[in-house]
Amino acid sequence: MQARPSFDVGDRIQVSGYTGEVLSISARTTALETPDGTRVHIPNTQVLGSIVVVYTAFDSRRASIDLSVDPMADLDAISHAFVEAVSGVEDVLADPAPVVRARGFGNGTVELQVRFWFGPDTHSDIAVTDEAIRALQRIINKEGISLPAPQLIIERQPAPSGAGSTSAGDHSEPTT
């Protein structure tokens, strides 16, 4: 591992269910500091047998937030508002710029995905996504954008003949 590691000290990686910054790579273990301040030593035999995700391998990383909007809404205006909101988040990169994509139709909705990029030095993708969600919530409230609640459709169906009847003459439908 020390001769040809796929990551270096200082990289942010995920391996064997742990995510953190690589503190050291020795002949026997790789030590990580997790976001909650815990030090984890993972045996290199386990590291070699696992998929390793290196979050700091490139200049930027992408995150996405999915939203459902009213199908009668002005998608161009909403997209513009969402891009402006996410662009104002401190760690969101201007290049590549945030974008909103229409992904399809839901149950009485149009499904949108807000995509944005942030740098590898950003300590937590969770924190950047949290701030982006908060910025989107502020613009949704400010602009009065309608986000329809999920709909659940319940249909009553007649019981099959003879099913659930208490007497031969009872033809009422059961309620659910």
Side-chain angles (χ1 to χ4, degrees), residues 38-173:
T38 304
R39 181 178 296 184
V40 179
H41 293 268
I42 303 170
N44 287 338
T45 55
Q46 190 172 346
V47 173
L48 288 170
S50 299
I51 293 173
V52 178
V53 177
V54 183
Y55 291 111
T56 50
F58 300 104
D59 292 337
S60 59
R61 296 178 19 219
R62 187 183 81 194
S64 301
I65 300 169
D66 295 323
L67 295 160
S68 300
V69 299
D70 187 322
M72 301 307 289
D74 181 345
L75 294 183
D76 292 332
I78 288 174
S79 296
H80 178 74
F82 285 176
V83 165
E84 289 297 314
V86 172
S87 295
V89 173
E90 181 178 342
D91 290 320
V92 170
L93 299 176
D95 186 26
V99 65
V100 176
R101 299 277 187 238
R103 296 184 44 122
F105 292 97
N107 186 10
T109 64
V110 173
E111 305 299 318
L112 300 179
Q113 185 174 67
V114 180
R115 294 180 179 179
F116 55 93
W117 295 81
F118 56 95
D121 54 339
T122 303
H123 186 66
S124 171
D125 54 340
I126 295 169
V128 174
T129 303
D130 175 80
E131 287 302 316
I133 290 169
R134 291 172 188 275
L136 289 168
Q137 178 66 24
R138 287 189 293 273
I139 200 70
I140 287 166
N141 290 337
K142 179 181 174 189
E143 300 293 326
I145 297 170
S146 176
L147 302 181
Q151 298 176 6
L152 176 62
I153 299 172
I154 300 173
E155 295 180 16
R156 268 184 71 205
Q157 304 222 350
S161 177
S165 294
T166 55
S167 69
D170 183 8
H171 296 290
S172 63
E173 297 176 358

